Amino acid sequence: AGPAAALGRLLRRQGRLHAAHDAERQVSSARALAVSWEGVSVEFLAQWADKHAAELAWLSTDAVVQRLILPQTREARLLDPAPVGRAFIELVADAHKGPPSLFLSHAWRQTFYVPPAAKSRGGLVQAVLGAVPKEEWATTFVWLDVFCVNQHLRSGSGGLLALEFDPLRQAVAVAGRVCVCLERYDDPAPLGRVWCLDELRTALVLNKPVEALMPPTAAESLRGQATRDPALTRTEIERIVRGINIEHASAFFYTDRIQVLTQVRETVGCAAL
């Protein structure tokens, strides 16, 4: 794994993402891509969400992975007797893939997609579509783990093989900026997850811009509240920020939490987050 991963890193630094992918396939005996450093276009995200709107309605991101991503990527070939699975992005046409402008930091328990009829709500998809002008959808690419990480391949330790490539650091490094996706400003779910806070740590270390991303309805609600009572809004935001503490953040796996906390303490320090 070492030489292939090292070659992949070199090729990524040179901006040769396709060549990097070819090198990194050597890590898996199945020659499947563990993680992609390209992103999918916002146009693709919009079209895919529209195509699967009935299935996606009100699902959390976790449920989207279980119900759509895993089944759609389980077999690289039809009726494969020994399927190894693929990263979703490998199924995407080249026209919809490119160097990511945005790295999306989000919590899997958040809503992924809300039907257009529910005008008072929004999910991750609505947040992304609302943040990018429609005329730029085809040329703006986003790095989203559910699409860009192979959810099937496992390492010898049992975790995702993608983690062997330090995916958060590498993906943030090639992205233009990091966007923290908030379903509502007063429910900052990503800020209570160790992996999301580690993404912010990585952005700090790499000097990447960080911005909050909310569905248009949530953003408009916050703007309206700030206009009506700016002092109260500021107090509320300060209260939320004071409650952020990476040492109290959670992870699905205990070992992930320990790993992330160790990295934070050895770099920017817990106080910086």
Side-chain angles (χ1 to χ4, degrees):
L7 177 59
R9 287 193 295 271
L10 173 62
L11 292 169
R12 284 198 305 278
R13 286 196 294 270
Q14 296 173 348
R16 298 163 61 188
L17 298 182
H18 283 297
H21 292 163
D22 288 341
E24 289 166 345
R25 288 177 199 274
Q26 307 305 318
V27 176
S28 168
S29 59
R31 298 180 65 81
L33 189 65
V35 56
S36 172
W37 312 115
E38 292 181 297
V40 300
S41 69
V42 175
E43 182 176 66
F44 170 82
L45 177 63
Q47 292 178 0
W48 186 77
D50 185 62
K51 179 180 179 180
H52 297 283
E55 300 162 272
L56 292 171
W58 301 108
L59 290 184
S60 67
T61 300
D62 193 2
V64 169
V65 171
Q66 298 301 321
R67 297 186 188 184
L68 281 87
I69 300 296
L70 286 173
Q72 290 183 14
T73 57
R74 185 162 288 122
E75 292 183 331
R77 297 183 297 272
L78 293 178
L79 300 179
D80 189 341
V84 296
R86 292 291 186 267
F88 183 91
I89 196 170
E90 292 197 84
L91 307 179
V92 178
D94 287 346
H96 288 301
K97 296 187 288 191
S101 303
L102 312 178
F103 175 100
L104 301 183
S105 178
H106 64 108
W108 279 30
R109 73 170 175 83
Q110 292 176 288
T111 307
F112 185 84
Y113 176 82
V114 171
K119 297 181 179 180
S120 63
R121 293 281 302 276
L124 183 147
V125 172
Q126 283 76 25
V128 175
L129 301 187
V132 179
K134 193 167 185 177
E135 61 271 18
E136 298 177 13
W137 283 7
T139 56
T140 301
F141 302 92
V142 298
W143 197 94
L144 179 60
D145 55 358
V146 300
F147 289 156
C148 299
V149 170
N150 188 317
Q151 306 293 329
H152 301 275
L153 290 182
R154 298 284 168 174
S155 67
S157 61
L160 287 172
L161 183 61
L163 297 179
E164 301 290 326
F165 294 97
D166 193 7
L168 300 185
R169 181 180 180 85
Q170 302 301 337
V172 171
V174 298
R177 63 188 188 274
V178 172
C179 296
V180 181
C181 300
L182 307 178
E183 199 165 338
R184 304 191 313 271
Y185 87 94
D186 58 346
D187 182 25
L191 303 181
R193 302 291 291 173
V194 291
W195 281 116
C196 296
L197 290 174
D198 192 45
E199 290 159 3
L200 293 182
R201 176 194 69 87
T202 303
L204 289 173
V205 170
L206 298 178
N207 197 30
K208 294 285 183 175
V210 177
E211 62 184 53
L213 215 61
M214 288 190 291
T217 51
E220 183 60 33
S221 175
L222 176 58
R223 282 192 292 268
Q225 180 176 318
T227 300
R228 292 189 300 272
D229 195 335
L232 176 61
T233 304
R234 185 168 54 251
T235 299
E236 279 292 289
I237 292 175
E238 289 173 349
R239 176 186 62 79
I240 293 166
V241 171
R242 284 196 302 271
I244 299 170
N245 187 335
I246 191 169
E247 299 204 59
H248 296 162
S250 61
F252 188 79
F253 293 107
Y254 175 76
T255 52
D256 287 353
R257 185 173 184 277
I258 298 304
Q259 175 186 338
V260 171
L261 286 175
T262 300
Q263 290 176 337
V264 170
R265 288 167 181 150
E266 293 177 350
T267 53
V268 300
C270 291
L273 293 175

